[in-house]
Amino acid sequence: STSVIAVAPASPALAHHKRSQAPADLVDTAVKSKKHKTLVAAVKAADLVDTLKSDGPFTVFAPTDTAFATLPEGTVESLVQPRNKSTLTNILTYHVVAGRVRSSDLVNLINTGGGEATIKTVAGGTLTARLSGSNIVITDAKGRATAVTKANVTTANGVIHFTDGVFLPA
């Protein structure tokens, strides 16, 4: 654990201003989102909170609650059970890429890659990014295509891209 040494600020007003200006980390940003309640519950169940609060930086392709709802009935409830923690961890880390990858970076990689870019995930799997019109579409190892519905949510330790589907590793 990290110890924090408190230093008295010169002015309480300044201290409050600085605190409110600091961007939230990946976890706190997801917690504040009204569209990621299922993802936040899954991250907690997989004990990934500390990892996603670390310095990173990480890029998270964050499925919305609506995306999780498209999985077969009972899937999410089953995955958050303690006995399925390793499977859940593998699925969640399959949505995480090391580094800060903005949508412009993805588009550049897709364009220089002849129409597609391969992305290595923290889980060790591979995702494939393509453009469909002006939308970035990510295909997982099972061949499921998922669109990025909101890009470049900047956090203190990375970037979040909302997705309309859940990636499943091979």
Side-chain angles (χ1 to χ4, degrees), residues 38-73:
T38 306
L39 179 62
V40 169
V43 165
K44 289 177 180 174
D47 285 332
L48 289 172
V49 171
D50 289 345
T51 301
L52 293 175
K53 282 181 148 306
S54 71
D55 290 344
F58 298 108
T59 298
V60 176
F61 292 96
T64 61
D65 294 336
T66 309
F68 278 107
T70 66
L71 293 173
E73 192 174 335

Side-chain angles (χ1 to χ4, degrees), residues 143-166:
R144 295 164 32 107
T146 296
V148 172
T149 57
K150 181 176 181 179
N152 303 324
V153 176
T154 303
T155 70
N157 62 341
V159 179
I160 299 173
H161 302 296
F162 292 20
T163 63
D164 67 359
V166 178

Side-chain angles (χ1 to χ4, degrees), residues 31-112:
V31 166
K32 288 178 193 164
S33 168
K34 292 175 176 32
K35 296 181 181 224
H36 292 99
K37 298 196 181 328
T38 306
L39 179 62
V40 169
V43 165
K44 289 177 180 174
D47 285 332
L48 289 172
V49 171
D50 289 345
T51 301
L52 293 175
K53 282 181 148 306
S54 71
D55 290 344
F58 298 108
T59 298
V60 176
F61 292 96
T64 61
D65 294 336
T66 309
F68 278 107
T70 66
L71 293 173
E73 192 174 335
T75 301
V76 173
E77 294 77 6
S78 173
L79 285 171
V80 297
Q81 297 298 316
R83 70 179 181 276
N84 295 321
K85 183 177 169 183
S86 66
T87 302
L88 178 62
T89 300
N90 190 38
I91 290 170
L92 292 174
T93 56
Y94 189 57
H95 289 77
V96 181
V97 176
R100 196 179 291 270
V101 183
R102 303 192 53 75
S103 61
S104 57
D105 300 325
L106 277 174
V107 170
N108 288 338
L109 288 169
I110 292 166
N111 289 335
T112 59

